[in-house]
Amino acid sequence: MDHTAAPPVPLDAATSARLSRQPRSATKPEVTLRRELHRRGLRFRVNHPRLPGRPDIAFTRAKVAVFVDGCFWHCCPDHGTLPRNNRDWWRVKLGQNVARDRVKDAALVELGWTVLHVWEHEAASAAADRVEAEWLRRLPMISD
Ligand SMILES: [Zn+2]
């Protein structure tokens, strides 16, 4: 079935859950950022299965979650585009992605986490600076 021709429908809970369980391979910007953070001595969990949205990078004690967002799939203000074909379908589809991102963010915040989003176009060093700064900011809040 050509899924691009399917009408846009909001994902029901079961479909959503199934999709979120599917293993996703790491993108290059993710790998590069993880490598840079690791080089700086930071240690984290990858795709933590028990956290909303399975963050790409999770600092469990500092409670900082990081998502590396693709410019196309997450509608980057600089590089987000709408394909010419099935434009309306894509508008809805990508809009749902962004809406889901915000729902996941809210769920994490509810659990006391800080959420950072990094665009795939960001330089790894600049992204790592942001992540490290947030991690440092949260350190005093770690009780043990
Ligand atoms: Zn971008």
Side-chain angles (χ1 to χ4, degrees):
M1 177 180 142
D2 178 13
H3 76 275
T4 60
V9 286
L11 292 177
D12 59 86
T15 307
S16 239
R18 184 164 47 74
L19 289 178
S20 72
R21 280 196 301 273
Q22 281 176 348
R24 210 170 50 84
S25 53
T27 61
K28 185 160 181 296
E30 272 173 61
V31 172
T32 311
L33 176 58
R34 284 180 189 141
R35 197 169 290 152
E36 175 61 20
L37 291 169
H38 202 267
R39 195 186 64 75
R40 298 180 184 202
L42 298 178
R43 298 297 178 261
F44 44 83
R45 289 283 302 268
V46 172
N47 302 134
H48 199 307
R50 287 192 307 279
L51 288 176
R54 292 189 172 204
D56 298 319
I57 296 165
F59 298 90
T60 50
R61 291 177 70 225
K63 288 195 166 184
V64 175
V66 183
F67 293 92
V68 180
D69 294 340
C71 292
F72 173 72
W73 292 103
H74 299 267
C75 305
C76 163
D78 299 332
H79 312 103
T81 54
L82 273 178
R84 221 170 269 282
N85 290 331
N86 297 315
R87 207 172 176 80
D88 289 339
W89 186 88
W90 279 109
R91 196 190 313 278
V92 173
K93 166 83 181 155
L94 297 178
Q96 287 174 346
N97 284 353
V98 173
R100 239 185 341 259
D101 288 345
R102 297 296 82 84
V103 169
K104 286 185 278 192
D105 290 356
L108 283 161
V109 168
E110 189 75 19
L111 294 170
W113 285 67
T114 295
V115 183
L116 293 179
H117 285 268
V118 170
W119 289 111
E120 67 171 331
H121 70 250
E122 288 188 61
S125 58
D129 284 350
R130 283 210 288 136
V131 173
E132 189 175 16
E134 190 56 37
W135 178 77
L136 284 169
R137 201 183 68 80
R138 295 282 298 213
L139 272 190
M141 300 172 207
I142 297 173
S143 50
D144 57 343

